[in-house]
């Protein structure tokens, strides 16, 4: 199996799930994780919690842990992730047409959070990974996979980093 798409709700068994996935499918070249927040966190008031980027999902430590759990996937080239962060806005019609200031601000903050996740993950993911893709809601049933390219240099003193690639981001329904 070279491509796997897995959809699940975050819980205390998540690390075990990822370990099993890596063990069962060591030759994955592409992995898509659609990771939803725990049910008790689903109804957070996004606007009032805007600064709480990683309250229940993907703290910096858990981002690095996720990368380390995936590290044995030596052939992995693309890693797709929907993390359902606490600041992930629920799509609504205003977002489709330029949206309200609040909607645009939420999307911008989500994009910034995904940029931070990309640059945190890149150091612990397998060196074979070339692309990170994060799903961001845009409008009613339209979402975009935003792409970050991994930049690695021959200089051992320069850590790898992720660069947003606007040209290859893909709209999906």
């Amino acid at each position: 199996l070279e491509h796997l798409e897995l959809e699940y709700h975050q819980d205390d068994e998540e690390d075990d799930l990822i370990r099993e996935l890596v063990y069962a499918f060591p030759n994955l070249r592409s992995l898509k994780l659609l990771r939803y927040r725990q049910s008790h966190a689903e109804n957070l008031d996004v606007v009032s919690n805007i600064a709480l980027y990683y309250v229940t999902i993907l703290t910096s430590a858990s981002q690095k842990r996720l990368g380390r759990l995936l590290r044995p996937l030596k052939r992995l080239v693309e890693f797709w992730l929907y993390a359902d962060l606490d600041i992930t806005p629920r799509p609504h019609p205003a977002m489709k047409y330029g949206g309200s200031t609040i909607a645009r601000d939420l999307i911008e903050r989500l994009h910034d959070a995904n940029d931070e996740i990309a640059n945190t993950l890149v150091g612990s993911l397998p060196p074979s990974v070339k692309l990170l893709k994060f799903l961001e809601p845009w409008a009613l049933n339209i979402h975009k996979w935003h792409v970050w390219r991994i930049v690695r240099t021959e200089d051992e003193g320069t850590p790898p980093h992720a660069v947003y690639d606007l040209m290859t981001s893909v709209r999906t329904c």
Side-chain angles (χ1 to χ4, degrees):
L1 186 67
E2 291 190 348
H3 175 76
L4 178 66
E5 182 173 328
L6 180 65
E7 187 171 349
Y8 65 98
H9 281 89
Q10 173 205 19
D11 64 16
D12 294 337
E13 306 299 317
E14 181 177 21
D15 287 2
D16 293 335
L17 174 67
I18 302 299
R19 278 189 204 95
E20 285 297 318
L21 176 150
V22 167
Y23 177 76
F25 307 108
N27 294 317
L28 288 177
R29 296 184 53 75
S30 175
L31 174 61
K32 184 185 291 187
L33 297 180
L34 302 168
R35 181 181 190 259
Y36 298 95
R37 64 183 97 168
Q38 293 175 347
S39 60
H40 73 273
E42 283 184 22
N43 296 320
L44 287 175
D45 178 354
V46 174
V47 176
S48 67
N49 288 296
I50 214 161
L52 304 176
Y53 286 121
Y54 311 111
V55 172
T56 61
I57 303 276
L58 282 181
T59 62
S60 181
S62 66
Q63 293 167 37
K64 290 176 184 172
R65 187 176 64 248
L66 175 60
R68 284 192 303 270
L69 289 169
L70 297 175
R71 197 144 178 96
L73 296 175
K74 302 293 186 203
R75 298 183 63 207
L76 190 66
V77 176
E78 292 185 5
F79 179 48
W80 306 58
L81 179 65
Y82 174 63
D84 195 17
L85 299 172
D86 287 339
I87 63 163
T88 302
R90 297 299 175 235
H92 54 79
M95 294 166 82
K96 185 173 183 177
Y97 303 104
S100 66
T101 302
I102 291 174
R104 284 192 307 270
D105 186 52
L106 288 172
I107 291 295
E108 186 175 309
R109 288 176 188 262
L110 176 63
H111 185 78
D112 290 347
N114 280 337
D115 189 66
E116 185 176 326
I117 291 169
N119 279 289
T120 300
L121 272 173
V122 71
S124 49
L125 285 169
S128 57
V129 175
K130 306 284 186 245
L131 298 173
L132 295 174
K133 299 180 181 185
F134 297 106
L135 186 65
E136 295 180 8
W138 183 57
L140 281 174
N141 290 309
I142 301 169
H143 308 288
K144 280 181 102 172
W145 283 101
H146 291 268
V147 177
W148 278 260
R149 293 193 177 281
I150 307 305
V151 178
R152 293 184 173 84
T153 64
E154 299 295 322
D155 178 16
E156 290 183 22
T158 305
H161 61 281
V163 177
Y164 179 65
D165 187 346
L166 176 65
M167 302 307 292
T168 56
S169 294
V170 179
R171 192 174 114 185
T172 185
C173 294

